[in-house]
Amino acid sequence: MMSKLAMFPYYFPEEIFLEIFCKLPVKSLGKCMCVSKAWNSLIKNPYFISSHVSHQSKLRRTNDNNLFFVMTGRHEVEYSLHSDDQEFRKYAQLEYMPFDNHHSIVGACNGLLCLMDFQFSFDSIFILCNPIIRKSITLPKPCLSSLPYKISVGFGFDSAQNDYKLLKITKKGVLDKYVEVELYSLKRNCWKILAPPKYDLYSDDFMVYVNETVHWIAYERVNNEGSYSCKLLILGFDMRDDVFKEIMLPERLRNLPHQSEIYVIPYDELSSIAVIELGSLHAECDIWVMKKYGVVETWTKMYSLGKLGTEPMPRVLGFRKNGDLMLRTYNNLRLVSRDPESHEIDYFGIQGRRTYVCNYTESLVLLDRVIDDAMTENRANYAGNANR
């Protein structure tokens, strides 16, 4: 049987190569590619790229080498990686990003960032970017391209097919009964339209990727003897099987009081999800964690937080390894860390009107990707629109 790593040097056994090189960061692998043509070919091999990102993801979960990707800025947007240590030390400044300041980041998975822009047309423009290896791909236009009343998008990975997928759900108008759904596959480089679920979009927040599933808040209208109410739940889309699944919320969150709101964030410590419940006028915040993913009975209210001074409750962006919360303050838009038990605050000197934070794993994903004619044409069309 032929080795999965073709052209492997006879003097360097494959298993030894994988054991050593999968532990190396991308920067070190870049130097190795310059040492030997054989190593260059091996590192670009799809099997090695998959093995490397899998190993790096395990390292991130089991040791203290956790990284955060941070986008922030007031006038010019900046991108950087930070170590999840006490000082939130800057690990690397990222110079390469294929969009200007008008884009949004949908999510990150295995070192890939998914970006979305509405600036130049009514069409959604999506790009997949690996800023570490400075490579990006502009996706073909979605099938359903009219300007929606509401849109939610989720990005994730299908390990069974070694494929990256993007789920897009839109609602054309406020009175429309059904949403529209389409799914992009990087492997096929195309979109396909899916049958919509019976639930409506609760908000236009981007979806949260956990356990090969993207998650978002949905609702259905319930008729109680002529009186209508909205029943909230978490809807998931399994990237492996391309199917929707329902996850019930804690009973208290299924019918929110007026002027309250909820949203989903990842809870990486348990490979699960958490729900942030903002009280009326954002005066307080409760954090609910599903301690065993998919088991409704394990929903637990972990923390209750109050405001920071006189300003409204900050936006909860995620969790750190030590259990602290990453927050974006409401008025001055500072990125801070808060101990949910002692309520001690750490300030990092990071501030900006557009702040995005997520866990990040360095990878070689897209290194083996050839930009074919169709993708080149998509990039040319985007550039043409940008210059109009």
Side-chain angles (χ1 to χ4, degrees), residues 5-23:
L5 290 175
M7 302 184 301
F8 206 93
Y10 67 90
Y11 53 87
F12 207 148
E14 174 179 337
E15 55 273 12
I16 301 298
F17 180 90
L18 287 173
E19 182 180 352
I20 296 174
F21 279 57
C22 279
K23 296 178 181 178

Side-chain angles (χ1 to χ4, degrees), residues 106-110 112-114 128 153-159 162-167 183-186 207-215 237-240:
V106 174
C109 179
N110 291 347
L112 276 189
L113 298 173
C114 178
L128 300 184
V153 187
F155 175 62
F157 181 61
D158 171 5
S159 64
N162 194 29
D163 192 11
Y164 293 86
K165 296 178 179 179
L166 180 64
L167 183 72
L183 181 69
Y184 171 80
S185 160
L186 178 61
M207 301 173 191
V208 169
Y209 175 72
V210 174
N211 291 331
E212 300 200 39
T213 300
V214 288
H215 305 79
F237 183 81
D238 190 318
M239 292 291 189
R240 288 172 61 100

Side-chain angles (χ1 to χ4, degrees), residues 68-72 76-82 89-97 131-132 134 350 362:
F68 279 103
F69 171 86
V70 176
M71 178 188 81
T72 190
E76 292 295 323
V77 179
E78 295 184 357
Y79 311 90
S80 53
L81 296 178
H82 291 256
R89 176 177 45 87
K90 183 182 287 188
Y91 174 81
Q93 186 73 32
L94 302 176
E95 304 296 339
Y96 172 81
M97 292 298 283
I132 301 298
R134 297 173 174 247
I350 299 173
E362 290 185 284

Side-chain angles (χ1 to χ4, degrees), residues 159-204:
S159 64
Q161 299 297 324
N162 194 29
D163 192 11
Y164 293 86
K165 296 178 179 179
L166 180 64
L167 183 72
K168 173 175 167 279
I169 299 182
T170 54
K171 186 175 182 179
K172 283 186 177 180
V174 65
L175 298 179
D176 286 351
K177 188 175 182 180
Y178 297 105
V179 296
E180 296 179 323
V181 183
E182 50 191 324
L183 181 69
Y184 171 80
S185 160
L186 178 61
K187 206 168 190 177
R188 299 182 180 88
N189 190 35
C190 66
W191 294 85
K192 67 177 180 180
I193 298 175
L194 304 180
K198 64 179 182 179
Y199 302 104
D200 208 336
L201 286 173
Y202 170 75
S203 74
D204 55 5

Side-chain angles (χ1 to χ4, degrees), residues 64 140 145 210 246 256 280 300 337 359:
D64 296 327
S145 57
V210 174
E246 303 171 4
L256 284 180
S280 177
T300 304
S337 177
N359 282 309

Side-chain angles (χ1 to χ4, degrees), residues 27-46:
K27 185 176 181 179
S28 298
L29 289 174
K31 295 178 180 178
C32 293
M33 293 172 69
C34 299
V35 171
S36 160
K37 288 184 178 180
W39 283 5
N40 185 299
S41 297
L42 291 167
I43 291 170
K44 289 182 178 179
N45 184 290

Side-chain angles (χ1 to χ4, degrees), residues 230-284:
C230 293
K231 178 185 175 183
L232 299 177
L233 74 159
I234 294 175
L235 207 56
F237 183 81
D238 190 318
M239 292 291 189
R240 288 172 61 100
D241 301 322
D242 289 356
V243 296
F244 294 97
K245 62 182 184 181
E246 303 171 4
I247 299 178
M248 293 299 103
L249 287 164
E251 188 170 352
R252 167 176 162 171
L253 303 183
R254 296 172 193 173
N255 295 281
L256 284 180
H258 183 57
Q259 293 185 326
S260 297
E261 65 175 277
I262 60 174
Y263 56 94
V264 190
I265 63 173
Y267 190 68
D268 285 343
E269 182 180 347
L270 299 176
S271 296
S272 190
I273 51 178
V275 171
I276 310 302
E277 177 193 5
L278 286 173
S280 177
L281 303 178
H282 292 197
E284 67 278 331

